[in-house]
Amino acid sequence: MAKRRRTLSGIKPTGQPHLGNYLGFLKPAMAMLASHEAFYFIADYHALTTVRVAEELREHTYDLVAVFAALGMDFEQHAFFRQSDIPQHVELAWVLSCVTPMGLLERAHAFKDAKAKNGEVNHGLFAYPVLMAADILIYDTHEVPVGRDQKQHLEITRDLAQRFNHLYGETLVVPEARIEDDVATIPGTDGRKMSKSYHNVLPLFSPEKELRKAVMRVVTDSKTVEAPKDPDTCNVFNIYRHFAPEADRKAWAERYRAGGMGYGEMKQATFEAINDEIGPYRERYFALRPDTEQLDRILASGAEKARQVAHGVMDRVRLKVGLGKPAGRGPKDG
Ligand code: ADP
Ligand code: TRP
C-alpha cells in the first residue's frame, strides 16, 4: 500500500469542548482517520498563553484525551499526544522565530483582536502563530483539518515553511489547510461564533439536561408563531442543519418559510437531532473519563510515536541552519 498522507491538528485544553469544536474540527478530523496517518495533539503550550491555573490545565487535558477516545480514535494506528511532551515543538519554534518578520505577526487577527480587547498582550500570544507553525512543520505534515478561524494561522505556517526553504534549501513540507466550507463558523447561543471565550457554547459532552437548556437559550428574532421566517439567518436552524438528514432539513426549512412554526418547537427538534448523534459518544466519554491511568497510557504511547518523527525533522533542521555538527563528525573525526 502507498504511504498514507499525514494529517495533523491540535486543540487547546482551555475548557469543555463544544459543538463548534465538534463540527468544525473533531468530526472532520475523525473522518480523516480512515485514509490518513494522523497526529492529533493537545496544545497545552498554547493554552498557557491564557490559562493560569495548573489544575485546570491538567483536568482539561484529560477531558480531551477522553473526548478523542470516545469519538473512536485508534491509538495504535495513529498518534495522540500532548504538545509539551515533545520539546522539539519549542525548539523549532525558536528557529522559525529567527526567520519570522515582526510585521507578519503584527498583522495576525488573533493578536490584533487580543490587543484591541486587552490593551496589553503577552509575548506568548504574539508568538502563537510561530509555535503553531512549528507544531505542524515538525511532523512533515501534509494536511491540517481546522475550523475557518484558523485559516490565517495556516497561511502563516505555509509562509514560514517557504521562507525557511528559500533560505536554507528544501527542508520543510509545506502543508495544506483542510477547512469544511459547509461548516465554516458555527454560531453560539448569542449568535456570535461559538467559542469557549464567549461563554456562548453548546457543550459537546454535558449531561443531557444541560445540553437541552443550552439549546433553549439560543437567541432568535421575535417573530410570532404565525409569521413566515428565514431559516438561513436563524441561529437555531444553522445548528440544526448539521445534525439532520437532508429530507428533515428541507421539511423544516419549508415550515420556516410557510409560517405557523414556533422557535420552541424547532429548538426541541434541534436538541433531539444533536442528542441522537452524540448520545452514544457521550456515554463512552463519561465511562472513560475517570480512568486517568488509562488516559496517561494513551498519551505516553502517542508521545513515543510523535517523538520519533519530531526528532528526525529537528535533526534535519539543525543540520541546515548550522546548529551542532553533522552526524558522523564527532570529536574524533576532527
Ligand atoms: P475556542 O474558540 O472555543 O477556544 P478552539 O480555538 O480551541 O476553540 O478551537 C479548536 C478547533 O475547533 C479549531 O480547529 C477551531 O477552528 C474549531 N472551532 C472552534 N470554534 C468553532 C466554531 N464556532 N465553528 C467551527 N469551528 C470551530
Ligand atoms: N490554534 C489552534 C486553535 O486555537 C490550536 C492549534 C495549536 C493547532 N497548534 C496547532 C491547530 C497546529 C492545528 C495545527 O484551535
Side-chain angles (χ1 to χ4, degrees):
M1 191 175 97
K3 209 160 176 283
R4 290 183 301 170
R5 280 164 71 80
R6 187 170 291 153
T7 169
L8 169 139
S9 197
I11 178 166
K12 284 176 292 178
T14 47
Q16 288 286 341
H18 51 76
L19 293 182
N21 298 142
Y22 173 70
L23 294 170
F25 163 56
L26 294 166
K27 199 175 172 183
M30 291 300 142
M32 289 178 83
L33 294 177
S35 51
H36 289 67
E37 176 193 25
F39 279 57
Y40 294 152
F41 69 96
I42 301 173
D44 54 351
Y45 280 140
H46 277 113
L48 270 188
T49 57
T50 55
V51 179
R52 297 289 176 245
V53 184
E55 206 42 41
E56 268 179 29
L57 197 59
R58 277 188 206 107
E59 291 302 315
H60 288 318
T61 297
Y62 282 134
D63 291 345
L64 285 174
V65 190
V67 165
F68 279 78
L71 293 177
M73 183 161 179
D74 177 341
F75 300 114
E76 293 281 315
Q77 294 275 331
H78 306 281
F80 185 78
F81 58 101
R82 177 163 49 199
Q83 185 186 29
S84 64
D85 280 340
I86 314 294
Q88 281 85 3
H89 289 236
V90 276
E91 188 178 359
L92 180 60
W94 178 257
V95 174
L96 292 174
S97 271
C98 298
V99 303
T100 306
M102 292 284 285
L104 186 68
L105 300 181
E106 278 159 359
R107 285 192 297 277
H109 302 312
F111 164 68
K112 286 203 294 194
D113 293 351
K115 190 141 189 265
K117 208 167 119 204
N118 306 323
E120 180 69 17
V121 170
N122 67 57
H123 177 258
L125 209 70
F126 182 65
Y128 188 112
V130 184
L131 179 58
M132 179 156 162
D135 296 338
I136 297 169
L137 301 175
I138 196 71
Y139 297 106
D140 284 343
T141 302
H142 301 113
E143 295 171 35
V144 186
V146 279
R148 168 82 52 85
D149 59 337
Q150 297 298 312
K151 188 166 183 253
Q152 191 187 36
H153 285 149
L154 262 296
E155 282 159 8
I156 295 175
T157 302
R158 289 168 57 83
D159 185 335
L160 295 184
Q162 281 156 352
R163 269 170 208 269
F164 188 96
N165 289 345
H166 182 72
L167 283 164
Y168 293 106
E170 279 310 304
T171 312
L172 299 169
V173 173
V174 181
E176 280 165 44
R178 283 275 165 269
I179 296 169
E180 294 277 316
D181 277 329
D182 176 50
V183 172
T185 303
I186 305 298
T189 52
D190 59 359
R192 292 189 292 169
K193 176 200 152 184
M194 190 182 295
S195 171
K196 284 165 271 187
S197 34
Y198 295 157
H199 307 291
N200 65 352
V201 308
L202 302 183
L204 175 58
F205 293 145
S206 60
E208 204 175 297
K209 257 196 185 155
E210 273 176 40
L211 173 66
R212 187 166 186 283
K213 260 202 220 151
V215 174
M216 295 301 157
R217 270 200 304 270
V218 175
V219 290
T220 55
D221 58 32
S222 47
K223 289 204 171 109
T224 60
V225 170
E226 295 75 39
K229 303 174 181 67
D230 179 8
D232 298 328
T233 57
C234 175
N235 293 324
V236 185
F237 189 81
N238 275 323
I239 297 167
Y240 174 78
R241 70 188 182 87
H242 296 290
F243 292 95
E246 199 182 333
D248 293 3
R249 211 159 57 216
K250 282 198 173 139
W252 276 99
E254 270 163 35
R255 292 197 56 199
Y256 265 77
R257 295 194 183 97
M261 178 217 71
Y263 288 122
E265 201 188 337
M266 181 63 204
K267 285 178 176 178
Q268 179 61 28
T270 299
F271 161 70
E272 284 167 15
I274 299 171
N275 209 41
D276 285 349
E277 179 163 330
I278 67 167
Y281 300 135
R282 177 172 52 215
E283 214 168 290
R284 257 190 286 169
Y285 173 80
F286 284 114
L288 292 161
R289 178 59 181 83
D291 189 355
T292 52
E293 278 176 26
Q294 173 60 15
L295 303 178
D296 279 329
R297 279 195 289 276
I298 292 171
L299 289 174
S301 90
E304 194 55 46
K305 293 191 184 77
R307 200 170 286 128
Q308 285 179 18
V309 181
H311 226 278
V313 176
M314 196 62 223
D315 280 352
R316 198 157 83 213
V317 169
R318 290 173 64 95
L319 184 67
K320 286 285 175 87
V321 300
L323 294 171
K325 290 189 181 192
R329 287 186 56 199
K332 280 185 274 123
D333 308 315

